[in-house]
């Protein structure tokens, strides 16, 4: 049987670079196929059925490419589709990102917190289970409709005015921000410009640690070249350039 050492990783676009960079810090010799599904971006406002179908198509592609494991580097797809994917592809292991709300409970349980995520994530059953389990009753939930989309397109002015309009009501009220969408760590500075000094939490580092553990347990660790193959579903060359720019910016 053909063996493949590759790890498949996907997001609705290039935001998943923020997850990949955490993985690269602890698994620099793994080989990756990064699938940027910009043709279907944004996922955040899509129906459950659409997100499941889109995710299944990408999983089929990774299976064809004989990936050994799949990372869902999109909170929305994780929240909505991972359970179905695990049921329908029992032979495959899925590692799924989720908003780092448990970290608030573990590290700063008394502090006021803002959770920013897509509407799809905030409304999902998976996120609501997490939220109800760790609720500190000092948390605001903010569905950021359209934000991932303008980050994906790199529309800096629109990002700034979006944040100004939607975050200014929280200025001075919160200490922590959970970045519940993998695109949002790319705009930490702009968020701080509106909110002032806040601490950020996202799930990428915990995901990377978990991934390493799963690979070790299954004897799947690779001492390869660290190659990253980038695929974009809308075949947009500009995406590839920005993805690698983000990756090096994240790794600084
Ligand atoms: N990066 C995706 C997430 O983490 C963006 C969702 C979207 O495309 O709306 O949720």
């Amino acid at each position: 049987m053909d063996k493949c050492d590759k790890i498949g990783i996907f997001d609705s676009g290039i935001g998943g670079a923020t997850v990949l960079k955490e993985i690269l810090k602890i698994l620099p010799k793994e080989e990756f196929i990064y699938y940027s599904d910009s043709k279907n971006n944004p996922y955040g406002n899509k129906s459950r059925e659409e997100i499941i179908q889109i995710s299944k198509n990408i999983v089929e592609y990774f299976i064809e490419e004989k990936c050994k494991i799949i990372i869902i580097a999109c909170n929305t797809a994780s929240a909505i589709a991972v359970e179905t994917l695990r049921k329908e592809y029992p032979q495959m292991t899925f590692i799924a990102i989720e908003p780092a709300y448990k970290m608030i409970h573990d590290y700063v349980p008394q502090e006021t917190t803002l959770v920013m995520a897509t509407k799809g994530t905030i409304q999902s059953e998976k996120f609501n289970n997490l939220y109800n389990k760790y609720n500190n009753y000092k948390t605001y939930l903010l569905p950021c409709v359209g934000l991932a989309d303008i980050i994906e397109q790199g529309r800096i002015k629109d990002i700034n005015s979006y944040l100004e309009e939607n975050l200014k009501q929280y200025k001075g009220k919160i200490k922590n921000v959970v970045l519940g969408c993998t695109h949002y760590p790319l705009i930490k500075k702009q968020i701080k410009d509106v909110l002032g000094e806040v601490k950020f939490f996202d799930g990428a580092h915990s995901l990377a640690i978990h991934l390493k553990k799963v690979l070790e347990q299954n004897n799947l660790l690779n001492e390869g070249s660290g190659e990253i193959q980038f695929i974009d579903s809308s075949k947009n060359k500009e995406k590839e350039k920005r993805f690698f720019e983000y990756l090096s910016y994240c790794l600084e």
Side-chain angles (χ1 to χ4, degrees):
M1 199 170 86
D2 287 351
K3 183 171 177 295
C4 180
D5 273 328
K6 288 192 177 154
I7 296 177
I9 170 166
F10 76 95
D11 178 38
S12 65
I14 52 185
T18 63
V19 178
L20 183 55
K21 64 107 204 247
E22 287 299 332
I23 298 174
L24 292 173
K25 283 182 193 167
I26 63 168
L27 293 166
K29 295 193 168 164
E30 291 293 333
E31 285 155 21
F32 299 87
I33 304 181
Y34 183 97
Y35 191 100
S36 149
D37 191 14
S38 67
K39 194 170 89 184
N40 291 306
N41 180 279
Y43 284 2
N45 310 330
K46 287 196 161 48
S47 70
R48 183 185 148 74
E49 290 66 34
E50 280 176 298
I51 292 177
I52 290 176
Q53 192 51 56
I54 286 166
S55 303
K56 279 167 75 170
N57 294 345
I58 299 171
V59 167
E60 298 282 343
Y61 169 76
F62 284 146
I63 289 174
E64 240 167 71
E65 293 293 316
K66 303 196 168 51
C67 289
K68 61 182 176 184
I69 198 161
I70 295 177
I71 317 288
I72 309 180
C74 171
N75 286 272
T76 314
S78 296
I80 293 170
V82 71
E83 227 179 280
T84 309
L85 296 177
R86 285 186 174 133
K87 264 191 214 132
E88 295 198 16
Y89 301 93
Q91 77 285 14
M92 177 54 79
T93 304
F94 294 93
I95 309 278
I97 190 102
E98 72 175 8
Y101 190 58
K102 181 176 182 296
M103 286 175 88
I104 300 297
H105 170 269
D106 291 348
Y107 298 113
V108 284
Q110 299 306 325
E111 293 181 1
T112 45
T113 297
L114 178 69
V115 179
M116 298 171 67
T118 66
K119 190 170 101 196
T121 298
I122 300 253
Q123 291 180 346
S124 69
E125 194 185 331
K126 190 165 183 279
F127 174 71
N128 277 278
N129 290 340
L130 179 78
Y131 176 62
N132 292 329
K133 189 163 174 195
Y134 297 110
N135 195 349
N136 70 355
Y137 300 98
K138 290 179 182 169
T139 299
Y140 302 91
L141 300 182
L142 182 65
C144 298
V145 176
L147 182 56
D149 192 17
I150 53 182
I151 299 172
E152 179 68 25
Q153 293 173 34
R155 286 158 46 193
I156 310 289
K157 272 195 189 153
D158 291 339
I159 294 168
N160 291 339
S161 47
Y162 185 102
L163 294 176
E164 183 57 35
E165 202 175 302
N166 291 279
L167 294 187
K168 66 169 186 281
Q169 56 174 317
Y170 301 103
K171 189 177 166 61
K173 284 195 191 158
I174 54 149
K175 286 227 174 347
N176 311 302
V177 179
V178 174
L179 300 168
C181 165
T182 55
H183 282 72
Y184 302 166
L186 295 167
I187 56 162
K188 279 185 190 169
K189 188 189 165 301
Q190 290 96 317
I191 293 174
K192 271 195 179 175
D193 286 346
V194 181
L195 289 179
E197 201 43 43
V198 286
K199 275 196 281 312
F200 290 109
F201 294 82
D202 74 68
H205 179 65
S206 319
L207 178 145
I209 292 173
H210 178 57
L211 170 65
K212 186 170 180 211
K213 213 165 91 190
V214 173
L215 292 177
E216 272 165 359
Q217 281 165 351
N218 293 286
N219 206 13
L220 285 173
L221 277 174
N222 183 11
E223 288 293 306
S225 65
E227 189 201 342
I228 301 163
Q229 189 186 339
F230 178 87
I231 314 256
D232 179 66
S233 57
S234 52
K235 302 201 172 25
N236 180 337
K237 276 280 159 204
E238 184 61 22
K239 290 278 173 195
E240 181 164 356
K241 190 170 154 262
R242 281 183 48 229
F243 171 79
F244 283 107
E245 276 169 13
Y246 281 161
L247 208 53
S248 47
Y249 159 77
C250 292
L251 284 167
E252 271 167 14

